[in-house]
Amino acid sequence: MSEPVAHIELINDLTTLVGSSYILTNETKMEPYSKGFRFGSGSALAVIRPGSLVEIWQVLQACVEADVAIIMQAANTGLTGGSTPDGDDYDRPIVIVNTMRIDQIQLIDDARQIVGLPGSTLFGLEEVLAPYGREPHSVIGSSCIGASIVGGVCNNSGGALVQRGPAYTELSLFAEIHGDGTLMLVNNLGIDLGTTPEEILSNLEQQRYGGADIQHPEKRASDNEYHERVRQIDADTPSRFNNDGRRLYESSGCAGKLAVFAVRLDTYPIANKQQVFYVGTNDAQVLAKMRRDILSTFKTLPVSGEYLHRDCYEVSKKYGKDSFIVIDKLGSKYIPKMFSLKRTVDRIADKLPFLPKKMSDRIMQYMSYLWPNHLSERMEDYHQQYQHHWILEMNNDGVDEARAYLAEFFESKEGDYFECTPEEGEKAILHRFVAGGAIGRYHIMNSDRVGAMMTVDIALRRNDEKWFEELPAEIDELIDAKFYYGHLFCHVMHQNYVLKQGVDAKQLKQRILASFDARGAEYPAEHNVGHEYAAKETLRSFYRQLDPTNTFNPGIGKTSKLRHWSVKQP
């Protein structure tokens, strides 16, 4: 049977499985799934949107039988293109399996743990847990744009919350493909759900299990050692990074090399008392000293410590205003709808040659000018006074600890702080969150005069004293604008460069990354390799172990895109 005929038969089989409304083969309609949120794109044979766990299993069976590559995809909010194809140099067609229709969240053990199915989101989890006085592992950041629970685990994402670390579990339900091409379902969820794949998946989705079926094996449902690791301020390795072999386990860190049906995760009690402190200084070493003091002497670890440079503050204020207002006024749950609308507008506008690219961003930017200043007066005063801004969030006993420490510290150190009102605290954190998107908007709106945009997601050593980057003059002169923000306690920095016209972004990035190699830093820190970074040996070995046939997400981390990890074109 010729390949085109086999592919037509596969599409027919998949259509029978999920229904014609949930399979896409038109290139334009597939674009929201085949093009990354910020990076990467490629062609696909089809996009499938199954409606149940059993349907996912049946789709996988059909795809394995047809010998096509498979990309498991949830919200497609990753920043390095890790859940889409990349280019057209694969040796097989690709089928994208989008799981967002299956968004169920199940509570177990009085909501002290949850089971998240593949399309469930962090925002949805916040809503489900709130009546129980609990909160999920991650409550800021990507949750606002609809990132999935499973996607976070598969990419060891997050870690901004100092007490909790990156998303991690050793309890999951997944499908793997053995070296002989056999598709197998592995139930390591710690719940007795039956024996056959169909029985296990159906029982889980229908919640046909009771308390007696829930086991409590000696396996982690979170990185419960991270709070100790982040306190080790004299260690010469980073606190968290995607290539960290200590937290690569089955679904955790798999980057789509397994088909994950469910993960089991710990939840956390909502704090009785919370307070945000806003710190400003013109001396980077003041923040370095504070970081070391707080991590080494405080009895209660901070909730988070979000850094924002003055230039990043300014660009976030101007170019992130529309996202800020949408989240502030309408809530985080509206953001996925906004991004869907943006993609539709851009898809239509791209067909009209007289309209500029990224039309939706331009419309939203001009509309944002109609809205008055959305930031507090005290934040604006600090913007004028200080180069470095640090949003320090404490809870419970840590509030009084920080209050006493800051009062004494700034008696003799350059800079100052204020205690945020609840509204100011929310706005400060939200202002920091929209920075990433704002930088992208800045690049779009200034595209006629600047070159490429380049990002680095870097994890510095825990004992690295020079956390704020100072580029050599020969590199600095190639850059039009630099924007720095990040998670200062764990030394994870997001560094964004808008280059001057004509500068080779790939070549410059390698020069910058080489300087971080020399310092013992790791990258990426939390965005995972996607198709932007080369996976180091620890990750490469892990991927090959999970997927010996290289069927799932081939090419991830700049690895081979070919069957059985071949290095030669067929």
Side-chain angles (χ1 to χ4, degrees):
M1 185 185 301
S2 67
E3 283 196 5
V5 172
H7 299 159
I8 292 171
E9 289 194 0
L10 173 61
I11 290 172
N12 290 337
D13 290 342
L14 295 174
T15 303
T16 300
L17 289 173
V18 303
S20 58
S21 298
Y22 299 107
I23 180 169
L24 304 173
T25 55
N26 177 275
E27 185 176 341
T28 301
K29 291 182 178 179
M30 287 194 292
E31 188 173 290
Y33 305 91
S34 61
K35 185 175 183 179
F37 176 71
R38 192 173 74 182
F39 183 92
S41 64
S43 59
L45 179 66
V47 174
I48 314 297
R49 300 177 58 227
S52 71
L53 297 181
V54 171
E55 281 189 8
I56 293 179
W57 174 254
Q58 293 170 337
V59 165
L60 294 178
Q61 287 180 309
C63 289
V64 170
E65 178 67 24
D67 190 27
V68 298
I70 303 165
I71 294 179
M72 302 299 298
Q73 181 188 85
N76 193 19
T77 59
L79 300 179
T80 57
S83 57
T84 63
D86 182 57
D88 299 309
D89 53 340
Y90 298 84
D91 61 349
R92 298 149 289 173
I94 294 171
V95 171
I96 299 171
V97 182
N98 183 279
T99 62
M100 291 303 289
R101 290 178 64 203
I102 311 166
D103 59 357
Q104 187 182 144
I105 296 169
Q106 301 174 8
L107 304 181
I108 59 177
D109 198 15
D110 295 323
R112 285 190 286 270
Q113 288 189 328
I114 64 99
V115 174
L117 301 196
S120 57
T121 64
L122 289 171
F123 174 74
L125 184 53
E126 289 180 36
E127 285 194 322
V128 168
L129 289 175
Y132 297 86
R134 312 282 297 182
E135 61 185 10
H137 171 272
S138 300
V139 295
I140 63 173
S142 297
S143 59
C144 291
I145 54 173
S148 72
I149 297 169
V150 168
V153 170
C154 292
N155 291 290
N156 290 140
S157 299
L161 299 189
V162 183
Q163 301 165 0
R164 302 175 192 176
Y168 180 76
T169 188
E170 295 168 0
L171 300 166
S172 63
L173 173 65
F174 57 89
E176 62 183 7
I177 300 175
H178 293 180
D180 62 0
T182 304
L183 179 70
M184 299 291 293
L185 186 71
V186 179
N187 181 12
N188 285 342
L189 202 57
I191 303 175
D192 187 358
L193 296 165
T195 53
T196 68
E198 291 79 6
E199 183 182 13
I200 292 169
L201 296 170
S202 178
N203 284 341
L204 175 62
E205 191 161 10
Q206 301 303 318
Q207 290 188 258
R208 289 194 292 261
Y209 60 88
D213 299 311
I214 300 173
Q215 303 145 10
H216 293 85
E218 291 296 317
K219 290 187 175 183
R220 295 182 176 90
S222 62
D223 186 352
N224 58 2
E225 297 175 338
Y226 181 77
H227 65 284
E228 298 171 355
R229 183 176 178 84
V230 76
R231 283 190 182 273
Q232 296 165 2
I233 56 175
D234 293 316
D236 62 357
T237 56
S239 59
R240 60 183 178 93
F241 54 99
N242 290 131
N243 192 50
D244 186 359
R246 61 185 282 278
R247 287 297 175 257
L248 298 176
Y249 186 91
E250 295 179 345
S251 297
S252 293
C254 74
K257 301 304 287 183
L258 300 171
V260 182
F261 290 88
V263 294
R264 180 172 164 183
L265 295 167
D266 291 330
T267 69
Y268 303 83
I270 295 174
N272 296 320
K273 182 166 64 172
Q274 295 182 334
Q275 178 62 53
V276 174
F277 299 88
Y278 200 98
V279 177
T281 182
N282 289 307
D283 185 353
Q285 290 309 110
V286 166
L287 299 189
K289 169 66 173 169
M290 287 179 62
R291 170 186 172 270
R292 289 182 65 87
D293 287 350
I294 292 171
L295 290 178
S296 62
T297 67
F298 276 33
K299 293 181 180 179
T300 303
L301 277 174
V303 175
S304 65
E306 294 298 288
Y307 170 75
L308 200 66
H309 184 266
R310 172 190 277 158
D311 294 342
C312 199
Y313 178 108
E314 190 168 343
V315 81
S316 186
K317 174 185 172 181
K318 181 175 181 179
Y319 294 99
K321 183 193 285 188
D322 56 308
S323 295
F324 182 106
I325 292 166
V326 168
I327 297 170
D328 186 46
K329 302 301 180 184
L330 300 179
S332 305
K333 61 185 177 184
Y334 190 78
I335 288 293
K337 297 178 183 178
M338 185 178 79
F339 276 93
S340 177
L341 179 61
K342 273 172 49 54
R343 283 170 167 163
T344 300
V345 170
D346 288 340
R347 190 165 63 246
I348 295 171
D350 286 349
K351 295 180 180 296
L352 304 174
F354 57 88
L355 291 177
K357 297 292 184 182
K358 303 290 184 180
M359 188 67 186
S360 65
D361 282 280
R362 298 176 188 277
I363 293 171
M364 293 173 71
Q365 184 59 37
Y366 291 125
M367 289 178 64
S368 74
Y369 295 149
L370 303 176
W371 198 270
N373 187 6
H374 53 293
L375 302 177
S376 76
E377 185 175 339
R378 291 198 288 183
M379 288 174 62
E380 291 287 74
D381 287 343
Y382 270 46
H383 172 230
Q384 296 301 319
Q385 294 181 60
Y386 300 116
Q387 179 181 2
H388 304 290
H389 297 232
W390 199 16
I391 305 161
L392 177 61
E393 186 178 5
M394 306 295 300
N395 66 8
N396 297 332
D397 293 342
V399 173
D400 292 333
E401 232 178 332
R403 184 175 287 132
Y405 170 82
L406 291 169
E408 180 180 354
F409 184 84
F410 281 108
E411 286 181 356
S412 59
K413 298 296 190 297
E414 189 275 332
D416 206 350
Y417 76 99
F418 64 84
E419 293 190 29
C420 295
T421 66
E423 182 181 4
E424 280 179 322
E426 290 179 4
K427 286 192 171 185
I429 293 170
L430 182 52
H431 182 58
R432 153 64 187 89
F433 163 71
V434 301
I439 295 166
R441 174 73 59 76
Y442 168 89
H443 184 248
I444 291 169
M445 299 302 293
N446 292 276
S447 58
D448 60 332
R449 66 167 190 84
V450 300
M453 185 174 76
M454 187 176 73
T455 63
V456 176
D457 169 35
I458 200 82
L460 302 173
R461 301 188 327 268
R462 282 167 282 176
N463 65 353
D464 197 332
E465 295 182 3
K466 294 184 178 181
W467 64 272
F468 186 70
E469 182 178 65
E470 295 181 4
L471 291 169
E474 63 271 18
I475 290 181
D476 199 50
E477 66 183 9
L478 303 175
I479 300 172
D480 183 81
K482 303 187 293 287
F483 302 108
Y484 298 116
Y485 61 99
H487 319 294
L488 199 54
F489 281 117
C490 53
H491 262 189
V492 167
M493 297 298 297
H494 304 306
Q495 306 189 165
N496 297 256
Y497 314 90
V498 178
L499 309 184
K500 293 180 179 178
Q501 288 185 338
V503 175
D504 187 325
K506 290 184 177 180
Q507 186 181 74
L508 182 59
K509 187 166 187 174
Q510 291 310 308
R511 292 174 66 184
I512 292 175
L513 291 180
S515 71
F516 285 116
D517 288 334
R519 293 175 57 183
E522 291 279 354
Y523 51 85
E526 62 183 6
H527 295 161
N528 218 341
V529 289
H531 290 289
E532 186 172 5
Y533 295 92
K536 296 182 180 180
E537 184 54 37
T538 300
L539 271 180
R540 295 170 73 94
S541 297
F542 181 59
Y543 295 159
R544 292 186 69 136
Q545 172 195 339
L546 295 179
D547 183 20
T549 65
N550 202 23
T551 297
F552 287 122
N553 212 3
I556 194 74
K558 299 188 181 297
T559 58
S560 171
K561 294 180 178 179
L562 309 181
R563 292 177 179 87
H564 298 280
W565 302 89
S566 173
V567 295
K568 295 181 179 180
Q569 291 291 342

